[in-house]
Amino acid sequence: MTRLLHLSDLHFGRARADLLEPLVDAVNRLAPDLVAISGDFTQRARRAQFRMARAFIDRLEPPVLCVPGNHDVPLENLPRRLVAPFLGYRRWISHTLEPVFTRDGTTVVGLNTVNPYVWQSGKVGRRAVERACAAFAGREDTVCVIVAHHPFEHGPDVDKKPMRGAAEAIDELARCGADIVLSGHLHTWRAEPFAERSGRRGAVQVHAGTGLSTRVRGEENDFNLLTVEGRRLLVERYAAGAGVAEFAKVGEARFDLHVDHAGAPA
């Protein structure tokens, strides 16, 4: 059994100060095997905001896997954005933009979907997908997880531009073994299989909303706790409403994972 805690869109610089301690306490109390943070650590990629994000990470007791979000590259400093967009992220959060974590039958791969030349919409390239597939290769009995900032699929109510290359990427990632895809960016919660497509092996997409940001877009601040046991996935949502400085479980979803990496769905 592996337990993954999924956080996203902390947005230090525009975060709820009253939720910081409750979030740290909740993460450490739940004691997952890994904390996966799917980007947007900062609001404007400023040094002080990165320092707050680093201090938060340092207080988490479990191992942490991170990927950058579009807010983690400079918006106002155009030369830095064009020449060294991830300088602050590498210095304060993680030098590795696409990390890999393995433990007890679970492999987690981070993908950098940030396009430094476009403010919001992301991109996923062929080489990133190839690296993820290489990490999954030969792990037939392993549950394989992708962590990315941008979703690979939008619901009909989302007006943001989809990530470039997403449709092709999710087809290939599913083919090479991805069972679960964790993402954020939209500040909304979602847990469901990807839309059915002929020939595509099944995979489950799990979106976290925002852990700390005041920009909740009609939803609560939240995070996910995923428990993977064999071919079963339990996604538990923890949330804190407006004026409530405490995270509590508010719902769950259960899935049967397709882990027959040799071809047909299990």
Side-chain angles (χ1 to χ4, degrees):
M1 181 177 74
T2 302
R3 298 166 73 242
L4 308 174
L5 194 145
H6 174 212
L7 276 168
S8 197
D9 296 78
L10 299 170
H11 287 282
F12 282 98
R14 192 170 176 176
R16 279 183 60 181
D18 64 318
L19 280 185
L20 181 58
E21 292 299 325
L23 183 56
V24 171
D25 291 345
V27 172
N28 292 338
R29 173 175 51 83
L30 290 168
D33 299 299
L34 177 72
V35 177
I37 309 179
S38 53
D40 277 3
F41 290 84
T42 69
Q43 180 64 18
R44 284 290 180 261
R46 294 170 182 160
R47 181 179 300 181
Q49 295 169 2
F50 276 124
R51 291 179 66 178
M52 287 188 285
R54 180 72 257 170
F56 169 79
I57 294 170
D58 288 343
R59 296 182 62 193
L60 303 183
E61 295 170 0
V64 177
L65 179 147
C66 304
V67 295
N70 58 289
H71 278 260
D72 297 322
V73 298
L75 175 64
E76 297 138 338
N77 188 335
L78 184 58
R80 174 70 60 82
R81 184 179 180 85
L82 296 177
V83 176
F86 300 106
L87 184 64
Y89 179 89
R90 288 182 183 274
R91 178 178 179 183
W92 294 102
I93 307 300
S94 174
H95 184 73
T96 304
L97 300 179
E98 296 188 321
V100 177
F101 172 90
T102 59
R103 182 190 184 277
D104 294 345
T106 303
T107 298
V108 184
V109 176
L111 292 186
N112 176 18
T113 59
V114 176
N115 182 354
Y117 308 111
V118 178
W119 172 233
Q120 277 204 359
S121 60
K123 67 174 182 179
V124 56
R126 178 177 54 83
R127 291 183 180 179
V129 172
E130 289 175 350
R131 283 193 294 269
C133 288
F136 295 156
R139 300 181 183 273
E140 288 78 10
D141 297 323
T142 297
V143 172
C144 297
V145 183
I146 292 290
V147 181
H149 179 63
H150 296 84
F152 286 76
E153 183 177 276
H154 287 185
D157 57 336
V158 176
D159 57 3
K160 287 190 174 183
K161 186 177 180 181
M163 178 167 61
R164 194 174 78 192
E168 298 83 358
I170 196 58
D171 282 347
E172 181 61 19
L173 289 168
R175 186 199 64 77
C176 73
D179 299 294
I180 305 167
V181 179
L182 307 180
S183 58
H185 185 56
L186 302 178
H187 291 207
T188 57
W189 185 88
R190 188 177 182 186
E192 62 184 17
F194 282 92
E196 291 188 13
R197 181 166 170 173
S198 177
R200 178 196 284 169
R201 179 180 169 278
V204 176
Q205 57 180 324
V206 180
H207 302 183
T210 168
L212 291 174
S213 175
T214 58
R215 299 176 64 200
V216 291
R217 297 175 185 167
E219 296 201 8
E220 301 170 311
N221 293 95
D222 69 8
F223 65 83
N224 297 311
L225 180 66
L226 289 79
T227 301
V228 179
E229 189 167 11
R231 299 186 179 200
R232 300 294 179 88
L233 168 65
L234 169 64
V235 181
E236 298 172 281
R237 185 187 183 214
Y238 287 76
V244 179
E246 181 181 5
F247 286 90
K249 181 180 172 180
V250 297
E252 66 178 45
R254 297 176 183 269
F255 304 92
D256 290 323
L257 296 175
H258 299 260
V259 295
D260 178 10
H261 294 185

